[in-house]
Structure formats: C-alpha cells, structure tokens
C-alpha cells in the first residue's frame, strides 16, 4: 500500500488543478485516470469541437459574403479537419503527464474504486490518501429504450473518419445543436428529435427561438414534443422510433447520436465502500466542496452536486477551491461569480446571469430590453440576419442582472456583461464608457 497526502481520481481540468496546486505546496500527490490524461474538454469536448467549428466558420462567412467580394465558397474537407484536430488531441496527454512528473506527482493509468473511506484500488494496487478528490467528469446519459446501444456519443462524433450522409440527434441540448450545425455545414442531412416543447431549456426562451429559426433555416429538421422509444438497425443505417401526440413516428438516417444529456461519471467508483453520499446530480458536497458524509473526500466539476454549472472554467474554479481547502484546511467556500455559457452554433448563442423568468420569479423590479437588430451595422457588414439580444436590468439598483445574446461575436461580448454583473457596474456607467469602434463590443451601450 502506498500512502499519499492527496489522491486525485480524474485528470480533467479540475483534477489537474488540484493535483498541481497541492504538489506545488509540497504535498505528496497521486493522480489516476482510466482514459488518457486531459479530460473531456481537451480531448473529447470543448477544444476539439471548437477546432472543427473553425472550418465551418470559414465556410459560413464565405457564404454570407458570396457576391459581396467573395467569389468562391470553400467546401469543408472532413478528413483534413479531423487530422488537424487530432494534432491537438494527440499532444495533450503526454504534455499533461510530463507536467505531473515535473511536479513529482505519481501518475497511474487505470480505473479507481474505493475500498474504504480513505483508500482506493487501481488495478490491484492499493493507495491510501489523507484526502481523495473525485474529478471524474461526466458521461453520456444511458439510453434505456430498445436499441439505445446503437446510438453513438459526442466522443464518437469527434472521431468520425468519414461524416455520415445523414444523422439523427436524440435530445435538443447544446451538444445536439453544436454538432448538428457542424454536420449540416459539412453537407449532411440532419434531424434533431427532442421530447420537450422547446430545446435548450436552460437558456432564455426568446433567444432560443431565434436559434431555432436559424437552425431550421440552415436545413436542419427540428422535431419537438417527440419521445424516442427505440432505435432499429436496418440493412443500411437505422430507424429511430418515437411517439408524438399519441401516434408513432419514424426517422431514418445512416447514424444516430445520443445527445440526451450527460450524467456524473461516478457509478463505477464503489462510493458505498467509502460512505460517500450521492444523488442523480452527483456527489453531495458542502460549501467547501467536501463530501457531506465523508470528510476525507472532495469532489469537483461535473462529478459534484455543486452550485456550479457544468462548464470547464467552473471546474477549474472548483479545483482551486478544493486545493486551497486541502492545503490550508477548510478556509474557502465555493461562491460562484456569474457563469457565462455559450452554445457554439453559427450563429452562436450566449447567456449569463438571470433569465427574465428567473428574475420575475425572484420578485425583482426589472426593465427588459428584448430586440432583434439585423439592421445594425455589425449585422449589415457581416451580412447576417441573426443578431438579437435580451438584457435584464434591476431598476432598483440600476445594474444588469442578465444578458442573453445571439449573433456574430457574442461568445466574446458576453464576457463584458459577465464582468458588469460580477462587479455590479451601474448601467449608466457602462453607457458612459468609450468602446473601440467598429467592434461587436461597441454595440453594448445600445443593448442597455
């Protein structure tokens, strides 16, 4: 048995943060992961996805400016894009492990399971830790209906050697929309099947409406209020069976993808052996991100039932919280600043703070600015018709409490609004600022 001050299970952004920060303070640290080091964001999510999107952005931009200075609209070469993406992915695990070794962190490659409150087993090796950090991230939700095993995952999509000519996404969340936009711009026929009355339910409904319209305008079939009940394998491709308004409906495609959400990847840890309480949202933690039932254990990122959104920057933030609490004793509470979230479709959709529904539920006296602005200069110069915003202002304090945007550059503009909410900058002060022009940020004053 090997003894450690800290054992970190999972080598994504939160686990990496904890391991390196604790090691920098002289603690003896071990880290393990059953998958290559790097986690979802670097290897199977944000980063590779954004690389692929880059190629579709070029095509989209050229299409919008066709006949306005651009004569030829390029095609996306899927194999070349995937090869470019793989350069980044292949380099990451070795780079991370090299960093661990530089910091004298012991590295393991295998699935961990608890055998007691402070000990884990990794492929017959037993490690004992004063503290154990669970940072195992999330996995695709299991489809329990007949044929659910035929559905591919987001990881599979990001590793497709060839793009199917047609595909169906089950579930209408951000994964479905982002990958559907990629696939459609690369020439595939795409259908999104969602069981609810509107997709992207955690985002502002008015801005989602704009994205839904843009998605259908792109040629993606958006099927709502349809509950998928099975997948049938055919001679060529698959048939997705669903129920809509009491009637059976079917959709055919070469490939089917599970985009029905993600759940904490913690089922194989044998948490019961360590008396670690959990629920469907993850490991139950207190304000220090410490297990509510086992003080030896902390959890961060998608594995934890915390108040943080399932976003990479939030996982990093939680990693810093846990490292500080391990090093100094529980001294730092998880107090979340505004957490901006982006759906990287084209057009992109971004959100931070309260939705209008939430603000009204809290009884706030608010002023809402909700407008589509395709006539603004920034929309005109980019030749796009999708540009809209909704800002929510607390009239009592005169400060912004929510911002929801769709259009070009909103993935950057949303950060200005995040700062304004975080620091409670009065709206009148934001309007007095001088912004560089012409930039997307220069539109902020007109959104308030």
């Amino acid at each position: 048995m090997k003894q450690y001050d800290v054992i970190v299970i999972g080598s994504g952004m939160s686990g990496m943060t904890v391991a390196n920060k604790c090691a920098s303070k002289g603690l003896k640290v071990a880290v393990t992961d059953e998958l290559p080091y790097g986690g979802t964001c670097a290897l199977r999510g944000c980063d590779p996805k954004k690389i692929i999107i880059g190629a579709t952005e070029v095509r989209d931009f050229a299409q919008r400016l066709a006949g306005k200075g651009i004569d030829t609209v390029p095609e996306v070469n899927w194999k070349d894009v995937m090869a470019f993406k793989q350069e980044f992915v292949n380099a990451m695990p070795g780079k991370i492990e090299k960093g661990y070794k530089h910091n004298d962190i012991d590295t393991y490659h295998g699935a961990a399971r608890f055998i007691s409150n402070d000990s884990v087993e990794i492929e017959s090796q037993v490690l004992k830790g004063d503290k154990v950090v669970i940072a195992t991230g999330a996995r695709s939700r299991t489809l329990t209906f007949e044929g659910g095993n035929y559905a591919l995952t987001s990881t599979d999509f990001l590793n497709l050697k060839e793009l199917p000519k047609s595909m169906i996404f089950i579930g209408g969340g951000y994964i479905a929309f982002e990958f559907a936009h990629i696939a459609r711009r690369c020439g595939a026929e795409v259908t999104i099947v969602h069981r609810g009355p509107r997709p992207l339910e955690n985002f502002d409904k008015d801005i989602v409406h704009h994205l839904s319209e843009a998605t259908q305008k792109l040629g993606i079939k958006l099927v709502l209020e349809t509950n998928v009940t099975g997948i049938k394998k055919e001679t060529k491709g698959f048939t997705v069976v669903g129920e809509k308004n009491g009637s059976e409906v079917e959709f055919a495609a070469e490939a089917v993808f599970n985009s029905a959400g993600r759940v904490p990847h913690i089922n194989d840890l044998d948490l019961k052996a360590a008396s670690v309480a959990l629920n469907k949202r993850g490991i139950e933690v207190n304000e220090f991100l410490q297990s509510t039932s086992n003080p030896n254990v902390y959890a961060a990122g998608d594995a934890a039932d915390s108040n943080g959104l399932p976003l990479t920057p939030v996982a990093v933030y939680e990693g810093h919280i846990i490292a500080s609490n391990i090093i100094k004793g529980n001294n730092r509470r998880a107090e979340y600043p505004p957490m901006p979230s982006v759906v990287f479709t084209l057009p992109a959709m971004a959100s931070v703070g309260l939705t209008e529904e939430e603000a009204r539920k809290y009884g706030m006296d608010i002023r809402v600015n909700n407008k589509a602005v395709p006539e603004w200069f920034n929309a005109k110069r980019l030749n796009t018709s999708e540009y809209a915003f909704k800002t929510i202002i607390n009239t009592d304090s005169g400060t912004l409490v929510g911002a929801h945007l769709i259009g070009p550059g909103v993935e950057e503009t949303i950060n200005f609004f995040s700062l304004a909410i975080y620091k409670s900058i009065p709206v009148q002060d934001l309007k007095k600022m001088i912004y560089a022009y012409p930039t997307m940020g220069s539109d902020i004053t007109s959104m308030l």
Side-chain angles (χ1 to χ4, degrees):
M1 178 185 293
K2 289 190 176 182
Q3 177 75 41
Y4 292 94
D5 296 312
V6 185
I7 300 170
V8 180
I9 306 173
S11 185
M13 296 307 296
S14 55
M16 196 186 316
T17 301
V18 173
N20 285 322
K21 190 171 181 180
C22 287
S24 72
K25 298 300 182 181
L27 298 183
K28 186 166 181 56
V29 179
V31 63
T32 188
D33 203 316
E34 60 185 316
L35 296 171
Y37 288 163
T40 298
C41 183
L43 306 182
R44 304 175 293 277
C46 328
D47 292 352
K49 171 193 70 182
K50 197 67 166 70
I51 292 169
I52 298 171
I53 288 172
T56 65
E57 287 175 328
V58 173
R59 177 171 168 76
D60 175 61
F61 204 168
Q63 283 181 314
R64 283 187 277 114
L65 295 184
K68 301 181 184 300
I70 298 298
D71 295 327
T72 303
V73 176
E75 296 293 329
V76 177
N77 186 310
W78 184 262
K79 289 185 178 180
D80 286 351
V81 171
M82 296 300 279
F84 182 49
K85 176 270 299 184
Q86 203 61 34
E87 289 179 21
F88 289 83
V89 173
N90 289 345
M92 189 58 66
K95 181 180 178 181
I96 291 172
E97 184 155 13
K98 184 178 179 180
Y100 285 147
K101 292 187 180 301
H102 177 75
N103 292 332
D104 293 324
I105 296 170
D106 287 353
T107 56
Y108 294 85
H109 296 272
R113 69 178 186 88
F114 281 92
I115 56 176
S116 71
N117 277 21
D118 60 0
S119 299
V120 299
E121 183 179 62
I122 305 169
E123 297 181 348
S124 76
Q125 286 186 289
V126 176
L127 313 183
K128 184 175 183 180
D130 292 339
K131 303 297 179 186
V132 181
V133 178
I134 300 172
T136 47
R139 60 171 178 82
S140 296
R141 186 185 303 277
T142 301
L143 300 178
T144 56
F145 50 70
E146 186 175 356
N149 57 297
Y150 291 131
L152 301 174
T153 66
S154 58
T155 300
D156 295 321
F157 183 95
L158 291 170
N159 288 292
L160 288 172
K161 293 182 179 179
E162 293 185 2
L163 190 70
K165 292 180 180 179
S166 58
M167 60 187 72
I168 296 168
F169 291 90
I170 299 174
Y174 73 93
I175 292 175
F177 272 75
E178 290 176 343
F179 288 174
H181 275 240
I182 290 172
R184 182 65 189 136
R185 285 189 168 85
C186 291
E189 295 295 322
V190 183
T191 300
I192 297 173
V193 182
H194 183 61
R195 67 180 179 181
R198 68 181 178 92
L200 295 159
E201 294 150 347
N202 293 328
F203 290 82
D204 183 89
K205 64 179 181 179
D206 292 322
I207 301 300
V208 169
H209 177 72
H210 288 290
L211 180 56
S212 295
E213 287 192 335
T215 298
Q216 293 176 92
K217 183 179 176 182
L218 183 61
I220 296 169
K221 296 176 183 176
L222 183 56
V223 182
L224 304 177
E225 298 183 272
T226 301
N227 186 42
V228 174
T229 56
I231 302 173
K232 295 187 292 186
K233 184 174 174 56
E234 309 291 358
T235 304
K236 292 185 178 180
F238 301 87
T239 297
V240 172
V241 182
E243 186 272 326
K244 182 179 178 68
N245 297 327
S247 300
E248 185 175 277
V249 291
E250 293 186 345
F251 311 91
E254 284 190 7
V256 181
F257 290 89
N258 173 8
S259 52
R262 294 174 67 78
V263 296
H265 186 33
I266 55 178
N267 290 350
D268 298 330
L269 294 173
D270 199 359
L271 296 173
K272 187 176 181 180
S275 302
V276 174
L278 71 154
N279 57 47
K280 64 180 181 179
R281 287 172 48 87
I283 293 165
E284 296 177 2
V285 294
N286 60 22
E287 58 193 341
F288 303 107
L289 300 179
Q290 182 182 42
S291 166
T292 57
S293 57
N294 181 348
N296 298 321
V297 173
Y298 290 79
D302 294 350
D305 178 15
S306 70
N307 292 325
L309 295 178
L311 302 168
T312 298
V314 175
V316 174
Y317 170 79
E318 291 184 344
H320 283 292
I321 296 289
I322 290 176
S324 179
N325 288 334
I326 290 174
I327 294 165
K328 301 177 182 178
N330 285 349
N331 72 108
R332 190 174 173 191
R333 294 171 171 81
E335 298 172 338
Y336 298 89
M339 295 173 279
S341 184
V342 178
V343 180
F344 286 100
T345 45
L346 295 175
M349 184 175 71
S351 176
V352 67
L354 302 178
T355 63
E356 180 181 356
E357 292 173 316
E358 289 169 337
R360 295 195 187 283
K361 184 178 71 175
Y362 294 146
M364 286 187 181
D365 187 5
I366 58 174
R367 173 167 60 86
V368 178
N369 302 310
N370 181 18
K371 191 175 182 181
V373 287
E375 75 283 0
W376 282 8
F377 174 71
N378 274 322
K380 290 289 188 182
R381 71 179 176 85
L382 298 171
N383 198 31
T384 181
S385 59
E386 292 100 9
Y387 193 23
F389 66 90
K390 177 186 277 192
T391 54
I392 301 157
I393 297 162
N394 184 328
T395 54
D396 291 331
S397 64
T399 58
L400 189 75
V401 295
H404 312 277
L405 317 171
I406 185 169
V410 299
E411 67 272 26
E412 301 294 346
T413 308
I414 200 68
N415 290 314
F416 286 95
F417 287 113
S418 299
L419 178 62
I421 295 173
Y422 180 47
K423 304 306 288 186
S424 299
I425 301 173
V427 167
Q428 290 305 314
D429 288 352
L430 293 171
K431 287 186 172 184
K432 291 175 184 176
M433 284 180 58
I434 296 176
Y435 298 83
Y437 180 88
T439 64
M440 302 307 299
S442 64
D443 286 343
I444 289 176
T445 56
S446 299
M447 294 179 175
L448 298 171

